[in-house]
Amino acid sequence: MLKLEQLEIDNGGFLMRADFVVPAERKIAVIGPSGAGKSTLIGAIAGFHPVVRGRLVWRGDVLNAVEPGKRPVAMLFQDGNLFPHLSVAQNVGLGLNPDLRLTAAQSEQVSNAISRVGLASMADRKPAELSGGQQSRAALARVLVQARPLLLLDEPFAALGPALKNEMLDLVDELVRESGATLLMVSHAPEDARRIADQVVLVEGGMAHPPQETGGLLDNPPPALRDYLG
Ligand SMILES: Nc1ncnc2c1ncn2[C@@H]1O[C@H](COP(=O)(O)OP(=O)(O)OP(=O)(O)O)[C@@H](O)[C@H]1O
């Protein structure tokens, strides 16, 4: 369970508030207008923005002062952050060891993650030799190999066309179910939330509202959400 207890987050002077609980193994979409604070919220959970009030608690442990690399978190951004001079296998291996000196067992984990996202035949290619969708898969494999219980996605598939994006969302859904991870995913698209999320956190004007059931919220949006959905 992830608890955001009366959190106040500072992102370069922008203050963001949140006070809610995410039960274990839940899939949450974080939606809301541009500039409302979605990335700030996710970034604070990952440890990139300081919590200036309240407590961030994961399974009973207070994370406020825990450095990003030591948090139970794997994060995927829109551009995937693949290194162009490294192969798919090396990029994925970075998820386990930044200096890429992997044990045999770790190399096996890398191979398994690459197979799991359907790139087994492309492990030696560089990112430029992959399509956009394949690059997304490689970035997802790097997240997968870290085997962290809390998965944070910040508009990871926004650059993909609708069919490919849906394919990636379905793959994330499968992987999250298999691993029992908890998912928080920022998206601009309500249809993404419907496709993958049990619940939605609506962020508006520096305030993250408690999660609500996806169908109910999107079918009967409150005024702030109605304005955003248009
Ligand atoms: N480094 C920074 N310094 C100061 N203010 C910042 C910084 N980064 C972001 N902000 C401000 O914080 C607010 C929230 O930004 P954030 O990126 O969290 O919004 P968002 O909801 O993710 O937006 P978008 O949907 O456009 O990505 C914005 O008003 C933004 O201008």
Side-chain angles (χ1 to χ4, degrees), residues 1-219:
M1 179 193 296
L2 178 70
K3 282 193 202 167
L4 295 83
E5 292 178 356
Q6 301 189 356
L7 275 198
E8 211 168 287
I9 301 153
D10 181 6
N11 182 3
F14 172 81
L15 286 182
M16 166 88 210
R17 283 171 297 132
D19 185 23
F20 58 84
V21 169
V22 178
E25 301 192 19
R26 207 52 68 85
K27 288 173 290 173
I28 307 274
V30 179
I31 68 173
S34 184
K38 303 179 295 296
S39 297
T40 302
L41 176 70
I42 295 285
I45 296 169
F48 303 137
H49 306 305
V51 169
V52 291
R53 264 197 53 203
R55 299 196 317 162
L56 181 64
V57 185
W58 170 253
R59 293 182 180 162
D61 295 328
V62 179
L63 298 184
N64 291 36
V66 177
E67 64 185 74
K70 300 227 163 82
R71 296 194 181 201
V73 165
M75 184 154 177
L76 182 57
F77 301 92
Q78 183 172 333
D79 61 9
N81 287 338
L82 294 174
F83 288 96
H85 61 292
L86 299 179
S87 68
V88 169
Q90 289 170 319
N91 267 289
V92 174
L94 287 175
L96 288 176
N97 190 342
D99 71 12
L100 282 178
R101 274 187 233 132
L102 304 185
T103 64
Q106 286 175 321
S107 295
E108 170 125 19
Q109 281 172 266
V110 168
S111 297
N112 289 343
I114 290 172
S115 298
R116 188 62 195 81
V117 299
L119 291 181
S121 63
M122 300 179 194
D124 296 327
R125 291 199 196 176
K126 303 270 166 59
E129 298 159 343
L130 301 175
S131 71
Q134 289 162 347
Q135 290 178 20
S136 292
R137 286 171 180 270
L140 191 57
R142 184 168 61 196
V143 161
L144 188 62
V145 84
Q146 295 173 46
R148 303 280 168 90
L150 191 47
L151 185 54
L152 306 177
L153 309 185
D154 195 349
E155 298 198 69
F157 313 127
L160 302 180
L164 208 46
K165 184 167 74 163
N166 285 341
E167 197 183 303
M168 291 306 298
L169 288 173
D170 291 349
L171 180 57
V172 168
D173 191 26
E174 254 177 69
L175 298 174
V176 166
R177 279 173 202 275
E178 278 171 23
S179 66
T182 299
L183 172 72
L184 278 95
M185 182 184 77
V186 174
S187 175
H188 270 111
E191 65 269 17
D192 292 356
R194 282 201 198 269
R195 193 164 191 103
I196 193 170
D198 314 309
Q199 293 184 314
V200 169
V201 165
L202 173 63
V203 177
E204 48 154 352
M207 167 83 193
H209 294 271
Q212 295 184 58
E213 297 305 313
T214 305
L217 183 70
L218 293 178
D219 290 342

